Amino acid sequence: MSTQHVFHPDQVEEYVASMRLGVDFLADALRRVDGPATGVLPEVAAKAVTDVDLDRPLGDQRAALEEMGRLWLDDTIWFHEPSYAAHLNCPVVIPALLAELFVSAVNPSLDTYDQSVGGTFVERHLIDWAAGRIGFGPGADGIFTSGGTQSNLQALLLARDHALSLGASAGDLRILTSRDGHFSVQKAARMLGLGDAAVVTVATDGDRRMELGALSRALAETTDAGMTPMAVVATAGTTDFGAIDPLPEIAALCEGYGTWLHVDAAYGGGLLVSPSRRSWLAGIERADSVTVDFHKTWFQPVSASALVVRDARHLGHVTWHADYLNPHDPHGTGHPNQVDKSLQTTRRFDALKLWMTLRVMGPDTIGSYVDRVVDLAAEVGDRLEADPGIELAARPQLSTVVLRPARLTEQQADVLLPVLRARLYESGRAMVAATRVDGRRWLKLTLLNPLATVDDVLAIVAELRGAEVAR
Ligand SMILES: *Cc1c(COP(=O)(O)O)cnc(C)c1O
C-alpha cells in the first residue's frame, strides 16, 4: 500500500511540489481569462464529465489537473471579471485564499476544543467582534454557518423553540416576512415542521421595503386570530432590489408584541464595516438574531456565514448532550466547545478566512469595497435613468440594477429577455441574471466587483442592446 499521498512530514517535498503545481496551473488559467464565461452549454459540459471512468485513476497530478481544466476550469465562471453581473457571487480577497490553504490541509473541525484548540477562540473572537459591530451587548453570541440559508434556518429554529418555551402551540406559530424576503425563510418553515401556511407575506412600499402599516396589521390579525407571531424576518438587503426594511420601526413593533426579530443581512451585512454607510443598518442592534453572509459582501470564498444572537442563552435550543463530544469534565478543564451552538457537528474552520482578511486588510478596506459597489450601482442607475432605451424597475438601493429594454409589452418581454440573457452567456462576454417582479420579467445586474467601473457596467448594457438588435 502506498501512503505517498498522505499529508505528512515525510511528504513535505511532495506537498510543496503539488501546491506549486496547482498554484502555477491556476495562475496560468487566471492569466488566460478573457471574459466571465465561455458559454459552454450544459449538454456539452455534462458529456465531458460523465465520460470519465472514475475506476481508472490517472495516477498523476499534472494529468489530473489537465483533465480538470478541460472538464471545468477552462469554462468556469470568473467572478472577478467586470462583466460578470449575475448573482450574488463576489470576487474573493487573497488573504482569505491564504487562510484556505491552512483550513484544508490542517483540517481542524470546529465542533470541539480538542479538535481545533485556538481555532475555537479565533471563531469566538470573530463572533464577538461581529456582535460588537452589530451593536449587541456582552451577552451576545453566535456561530459560523455554511451560508445564509443555514443561518436563517437556525434563527427560526431558535425563535420557534423560544415561542414554544413560552407556551405557544406549534400549530399556531406564524413567521412574518415581506414579499421580497428570501425563499430560505419558506424552506426553513417547512423544515421546522411549521408548514407553508406558517409564513405570512407582508406587502412592500414603493421602495420595496417592508410596509409598516401592513406589518402592523399582520401582527394584529395574527394575534387576534389566536395565533402566535413567533418571528418577524426583516431583510437588510433584499436579493433583487437590495432594499433594507425599516429596522427601527419593525423592532419597535416586535418589542410591542414580544415577537422575535430576525434580521436577514445576508446581503446587506457588509454595511457593518462600511466607513460611510453603517447608518443604513441602524436598528439592527434591536434584533434577536442576525444573519451575515461573509461570502457575499465581505469578499470571502464560499462558505462563510454567521448567525449572531443578542442573547447567548437562546443558542441552548440547539444543544444536545453527547458523551463522546462533551463528556462530563471530572478534572474541571472547562474545555469549551462550539458544537453546542451549531446545527452541524464536523465543521470547517471558515472563520480563519475572515480572520486573515481582517488581520491583513482591516475592516475599513472591506467596507470601502462595499461602498465602491454601492456607489457603482447608484452611478449606473443615474446613467440608465437618463437612457430612453432602458427601463429601470426601481432606483438602485444597494448594488443591484433591475432593468430591461424600454417599451416592451409583457408578451415581448417573456420571449425576449430569456433570449438576451442566453445570448450574453453564450457570447462569453457578459453575464446577467433574470428575475420576476410582480409577475413581470426583468434582467438584473448584481454588482459586487470593486474593480468594475461605470463604463464596464454600461458595456454590459451595450451588449444587451447588441443582442437585441441581432435578434
Ligand atoms: C443569499 C441570501 C440568502 C441565502 O444565503 P446562502 O448563503 O446562499 O445560503 C438568504 N437571504 C438573503 C437576503 C440572501 O441574499
Side-chain angles (χ1 to χ4, degrees):
M1 186 193 65
S2 154
T3 54
Q4 74 182 85
H5 300 300
V6 180
F7 180 69
H8 181 273
D10 293 346
Q11 299 300 335
V12 167
E13 323 263 276
E14 156 110 15
Y15 166 72
V16 171
S18 181
M19 292 301 111
R20 291 223 167 102
L21 185 67
V23 168
D24 289 343
F25 192 85
L26 181 51
D28 284 344
L30 191 59
R31 286 191 194 99
R32 286 197 306 270
V33 172
D34 74 344
T38 64
V40 67
L41 292 174
E43 47 283 15
V44 179
K47 168 109 178 60
V49 173
T50 50
D51 279 352
V52 170
D53 182 352
L54 293 172
D55 290 319
R56 298 168 69 100
L58 296 165
D60 173 68
Q61 307 209 63
R62 182 177 292 280
L65 281 175
E66 277 161 8
E67 180 185 77
M68 177 198 77
R70 248 186 331 100
L71 301 182
W72 165 63
L73 191 66
D74 292 349
D75 293 305
T76 199
I77 311 300
W78 294 99
F79 304 119
H80 67 272
E81 277 283 304
S83 53
Y84 177 85
H87 305 287
L88 273 164
N89 317 91
C90 54
V92 295
V93 293
I94 294 169
L97 298 181
L98 182 60
E100 192 74 82
L101 198 64
F102 294 83
V103 173
S104 323
V106 181
N107 202 27
S109 174
L110 270 276
D111 42 337
T112 55
Y113 175 78
D114 70 352
Q115 300 173 77
S116 61
V117 291
T120 294
F121 301 106
V122 166
E123 174 166 312
R124 287 184 171 194
H125 197 45
L126 281 169
I127 290 286
D128 291 346
W129 176 83
R133 286 271 165 171
I134 289 168
F136 284 162
D141 199 358
I143 192 80
F144 271 69
T145 70
S146 61
T149 303
Q150 192 190 347
S151 297
N152 287 347
L153 170 64
Q154 182 167 354
L156 290 171
L157 185 156
L158 302 183
R160 179 197 64 182
D161 290 359
H162 178 62
L164 293 176
S165 76
L166 296 177
S169 57
D172 293 337
L173 298 177
R174 293 292 178 272
I175 300 165
L176 285 63
T177 193
S178 95
R179 62 177 177 154
D180 285 357
H182 194 261
F183 68 84
S184 54
V185 174
Q186 262 84 6
K187 268 175 117 173
R190 261 191 209 180
M191 285 188 274
L192 295 171
L194 302 174
D196 292 353
V199 180
V200 178
T201 304
V202 179
T204 51
D205 66 14
D207 283 328
R208 309 220 47 118
R209 306 173 346 136
M210 189 187 280
E211 214 234 292
L212 287 169
L215 175 63
S216 168
R217 280 191 301 279
L219 281 165
E221 282 164 16
T222 307
T223 1
D224 289 350
M227 293 176 296
T228 305
M230 76 169 219
V232 170
V233 179
T235 314
T238 56
T239 313
D240 276 346
F241 289 101
I244 298 172
D245 290 339
L247 303 178
E249 292 82 0
I250 293 173
L253 280 170
C254 288
E255 284 153 13
Y257 279 87
T259 294
W260 183 286
L261 172 58
H262 176 63
V263 175
D264 178 0
Y267 177 15
L271 294 170
L272 288 171
V273 284
S274 157
S276 64
R277 294 183 174 88
R278 170 61 182 82
S279 62
W280 289 11
L281 295 179
I284 196 171
E285 72 286 351
R286 288 162 74 181
D288 293 283
S289 54
V290 175
T291 290
V292 181
D293 262 4
F294 301 115
H295 59 217
K296 285 179 179 164
T297 40
W298 297 62
F299 310 96
Q300 298 295 297
V302 175
S303 291
S305 176
L307 173 69
V308 188
V309 298
R310 182 152 44 107
D311 182 344
R313 285 171 298 185
H314 289 305
L315 289 172
H317 290 303
V318 298
T319 305
W320 187 270
H321 185 81
D323 277 322
Y324 66 93
L325 285 179
N326 35 23
H328 292 295
D329 185 14
H331 306 296
T333 54
H335 283 175
N337 78 71
Q338 297 289 82
V339 71
D340 281 352
K341 307 173 190 174
S342 177
L343 299 182
Q344 290 166 267
T345 307
T346 305
R347 196 160 51 83
R348 276 171 62 82
F349 189 17
D350 288 314
L352 188 64
K353 298 182 289 192
L354 181 61
W355 180 273
M356 289 294 275
T357 301
L358 290 174
R359 298 311 295 146
V360 175
M361 298 167 55
D364 288 357
T365 307
I366 292 292
S368 71
Y369 289 7
V370 177
D371 279 347
R372 171 75 201 118
V373 295
V374 176
D375 285 337
L376 180 64
E379 286 164 39
V380 167
D382 288 347
R383 294 283 287 272
L384 294 180
E385 194 119 74
D387 182 338
I390 294 290
E391 181 185 0
L392 291 181
R395 180 181 56 85
Q397 301 192 46
L398 206 51
S399 73
T400 60
V401 182
V402 182
L403 79 174
R404 60 187 202 174
R407 293 177 300 276
L408 288 184
T409 64
E410 292 320 306
Q411 288 86 336
Q412 287 170 327
D414 283 346
V415 178
L416 179 63
L417 298 188
V419 173
L420 291 186
R421 180 168 179 250
R423 283 250 165 87
L424 245 58
Y425 169 70
E426 284 161 30
S427 79
R429 289 196 298 271
M431 282 185 72
V432 302
T435 188
R436 275 180 195 269
V437 181
D438 309 332
R440 301 172 71 195
R441 269 184 207 271
W442 293 84
L443 296 173
K444 177 172 72 163
L445 311 179
T446 308
L447 307 179
L448 278 189
N449 187 343
L451 300 171
T453 64
V454 173
D455 286 344
D456 288 329
V457 182
L458 294 178
I460 304 174
V461 179
E463 289 282 352
L464 279 171
R465 279 208 184 92
E468 194 188 350
V469 172
R471 175 162 58 112

mmCIF file of all heavy atoms in Angstrom, residues 88 147-149 152 182 184 235 237 239 264 266-267 293 295-296, ligand 1:
data_model
loop_
_atom_site.group_PDB
_atom_site.id
_atom_site.type_symbol
_atom_site.label_atom_id
_atom_site.label_comp_id
_atom_site.label_asym_id
_atom_site.label_seq_id
_atom_site.Cartn_x
_atom_site.Cartn_y
_atom_site.Cartn_z
ATOM 1 N N LEU A 88 -25.220 36.864 -6.632
ATOM 2 C CA LEU A 88 -24.509 37.471 -5.501
ATOM 3 C C LEU A 88 -23.150 36.809 -5.252
ATOM 4 O O LEU A 88 -22.795 36.522 -4.120
ATOM 5 C CB LEU A 88 -25.372 37.366 -4.241
ATOM 6 C CG LEU A 88 -26.365 38.511 -4.018
ATOM 7 C CD1 LEU A 88 -27.411 38.124 -2.981
ATOM 8 C CD2 LEU A 88 -25.640 39.771 -3.566
ATOM 9 N N GLY A 147 -23.908 29.150 5.359
ATOM 10 C CA GLY A 147 -24.459 30.179 4.483
ATOM 11 C C GLY A 147 -25.715 30.778 5.079
ATOM 12 O O GLY A 147 -26.167 30.370 6.165
ATOM 13 N N GLY A 148 -26.272 31.719 4.349
ATOM 14 C CA GLY A 148 -27.454 32.416 4.828
ATOM 15 C C GLY A 148 -28.639 31.487 5.026
ATOM 16 O O GLY A 148 -29.460 31.701 5.936
ATOM 17 N N THR A 149 -28.743 30.480 4.193
ATOM 18 C CA THR A 149 -29.858 29.544 4.312
ATOM 19 C C THR A 149 -29.802 28.848 5.668
ATOM 20 O O THR A 149 -30.797 28.743 6.377
ATOM 21 C CB THR A 149 -29.785 28.517 3.161
ATOM 22 O OG1 THR A 149 -29.805 29.241 1.920
ATOM 23 C CG2 THR A 149 -30.945 27.541 3.205
ATOM 24 N N ASN A 152 -30.429 31.384 8.541
ATOM 25 C CA ASN A 152 -31.856 31.693 8.690
ATOM 26 C C ASN A 152 -32.603 30.518 9.317
ATOM 27 O O ASN A 152 -33.489 30.714 10.155
ATOM 28 C CB ASN A 152 -32.478 32.050 7.335
ATOM 29 C CG ASN A 152 -32.047 33.433 6.845
ATOM 30 O OD1 ASN A 152 -31.490 34.213 7.612
ATOM 31 N ND2 ASN A 152 -32.306 33.729 5.593
ATOM 32 N N HIS A 182 -36.256 36.395 1.584
ATOM 33 C CA HIS A 182 -35.578 35.308 0.864
ATOM 34 C C HIS A 182 -36.343 33.993 0.990
ATOM 35 O O HIS A 182 -36.913 33.705 2.038
ATOM 36 C CB HIS A 182 -34.157 35.140 1.416
ATOM 37 C CG HIS A 182 -33.280 34.310 0.538
ATOM 38 N ND1 HIS A 182 -33.036 32.975 0.794
ATOM 39 C CD2 HIS A 182 -32.613 34.615 -0.593
ATOM 40 C CE1 HIS A 182 -32.232 32.513 -0.153
ATOM 41 N NE2 HIS A 182 -31.957 33.487 -1.002
ATOM 42 N N SER A 184 -35.392 31.169 1.540
ATOM 43 C CA SER A 184 -34.920 30.261 2.592
ATOM 44 C C SER A 184 -35.802 30.365 3.846
ATOM 45 O O SER A 184 -35.801 29.453 4.673
ATOM 46 C CB SER A 184 -33.452 30.543 2.932
ATOM 47 O OG SER A 184 -33.257 31.890 3.267
ATOM 48 N N THR A 235 -35.503 42.012 6.204
ATOM 49 C CA THR A 235 -34.371 41.794 5.312
ATOM 50 C C THR A 235 -33.558 43.078 5.207
ATOM 51 O O THR A 235 -34.124 44.148 4.977
ATOM 52 C CB THR A 235 -34.866 41.359 3.916
ATOM 53 O OG1 THR A 235 -35.859 40.342 4.082
ATOM 54 C CG2 THR A 235 -33.719 40.806 3.075
ATOM 55 N N GLY A 237 -31.208 44.238 2.835
ATOM 56 C CA GLY A 237 -30.644 43.965 1.518
ATOM 57 C C GLY A 237 -31.394 42.806 0.872
ATOM 58 O O GLY A 237 -30.996 41.655 0.999
ATOM 59 N N THR A 239 -32.647 40.364 -2.069
ATOM 60 C CA THR A 239 -31.816 39.783 -3.110
ATOM 61 C C THR A 239 -31.988 40.505 -4.450
ATOM 62 O O THR A 239 -31.014 40.733 -5.157
ATOM 63 C CB THR A 239 -32.132 38.281 -3.230
ATOM 64 O OG1 THR A 239 -32.140 37.737 -1.911
ATOM 65 C CG2 THR A 239 -31.089 37.550 -4.042
ATOM 66 N N ASP A 264 -32.296 39.369 8.382
ATOM 67 C CA ASP A 264 -31.546 38.643 7.359
ATOM 68 C C ASP A 264 -30.681 39.657 6.621
ATOM 69 O O ASP A 264 -31.126 40.309 5.682
ATOM 70 C CB ASP A 264 -32.523 37.933 6.416
ATOM 71 C CG ASP A 264 -31.806 37.198 5.289
ATOM 72 O OD1 ASP A 264 -30.553 37.243 5.245
ATOM 73 O OD2 ASP A 264 -32.501 36.579 4.450
ATOM 74 N N ALA A 266 -27.939 38.832 5.038
ATOM 75 C CA ALA A 266 -27.032 38.012 4.223
ATOM 76 C C ALA A 266 -26.328 38.883 3.186
ATOM 77 O O ALA A 266 -25.122 38.783 2.984
ATOM 78 C CB ALA A 266 -27.808 36.883 3.541
ATOM 79 N N TYR A 267 -27.085 39.756 2.563
ATOM 80 C CA TYR A 267 -26.542 40.601 1.509
ATOM 81 C C TYR A 267 -26.041 41.934 2.086
ATOM 82 O O TYR A 267 -24.892 42.333 1.860
ATOM 83 C CB TYR A 267 -27.641 40.790 0.457
ATOM 84 C CG TYR A 267 -27.365 41.686 -0.713
ATOM 85 C CD1 TYR A 267 -26.083 42.105 -1.061
ATOM 86 C CD2 TYR A 267 -28.417 42.101 -1.531
ATOM 87 C CE1 TYR A 267 -25.870 42.922 -2.172
ATOM 88 C CE2 TYR A 267 -28.217 42.907 -2.633
ATOM 89 C CZ TYR A 267 -26.952 43.334 -2.944
ATOM 90 O OH TYR A 267 -26.761 44.141 -4.027
ATOM 91 N N ASP A 293 -23.737 37.061 5.685
ATOM 92 C CA ASP A 293 -23.003 36.183 4.757
ATOM 93 C C ASP A 293 -21.661 36.825 4.411
ATOM 94 O O ASP A 293 -21.620 37.791 3.646
ATOM 95 C CB ASP A 293 -23.795 35.982 3.463
ATOM 96 C CG ASP A 293 -24.585 34.695 3.451
ATOM 97 O OD1 ASP A 293 -24.594 33.981 4.465
ATOM 98 O OD2 ASP A 293 -25.191 34.392 2.402
ATOM 99 N N HIS A 295 -19.554 35.434 2.624
ATOM 100 C CA HIS A 295 -19.226 35.073 1.237
ATOM 101 C C HIS A 295 -20.028 35.882 0.204
ATOM 102 O O HIS A 295 -20.064 35.525 -0.958
ATOM 103 C CB HIS A 295 -19.345 33.554 0.990
ATOM 104 C CG HIS A 295 -20.692 32.947 1.251
ATOM 105 N ND1 HIS A 295 -20.832 31.691 1.798
ATOM 106 C CD2 HIS A 295 -21.938 33.369 1.034
ATOM 107 C CE1 HIS A 295 -22.119 31.391 1.895
ATOM 108 N NE2 HIS A 295 -22.807 32.385 1.438
ATOM 109 N N LYS A 296 -20.618 36.962 0.651
ATOM 110 C CA LYS A 296 -21.243 37.884 -0.309
ATOM 111 C C LYS A 296 -20.533 39.231 -0.256
ATOM 112 O O LYS A 296 -19.625 39.467 -1.025
ATOM 113 C CB LYS A 296 -22.739 38.001 -0.033
ATOM 114 C CG LYS A 296 -23.493 36.760 -0.502
ATOM 115 C CD LYS A 296 -24.964 36.856 -0.205
ATOM 116 C CE LYS A 296 -25.692 35.620 -0.698
ATOM 117 N NZ LYS A 296 -27.030 35.522 -0.081
HETATM 118 C C1 LIG B 1 -28.108 34.877 -0.458
HETATM 119 C C2 LIG B 1 -29.180 35.142 0.512
HETATM 120 C C3 LIG B 1 -29.592 34.152 1.412
HETATM 121 C C4 LIG B 1 -29.085 32.739 1.343
HETATM 122 O O1 LIG B 1 -27.752 32.672 1.651
HETATM 123 P P1 LIG B 1 -26.817 31.455 1.162
HETATM 124 O O2 LIG B 1 -25.504 31.821 1.701
HETATM 125 O O3 LIG B 1 -26.889 31.465 -0.338
HETATM 126 O O4 LIG B 1 -27.382 30.205 1.723
HETATM 127 C C5 LIG B 1 -30.524 34.496 2.373
HETATM 128 N N1 LIG B 1 -31.041 35.732 2.414
HETATM 129 C C6 LIG B 1 -30.700 36.713 1.552
HETATM 130 C C7 LIG B 1 -31.314 38.060 1.664
HETATM 131 C C8 LIG B 1 -29.744 36.436 0.559
HETATM 132 O O5 LIG B 1 -29.387 37.399 -0.309
#
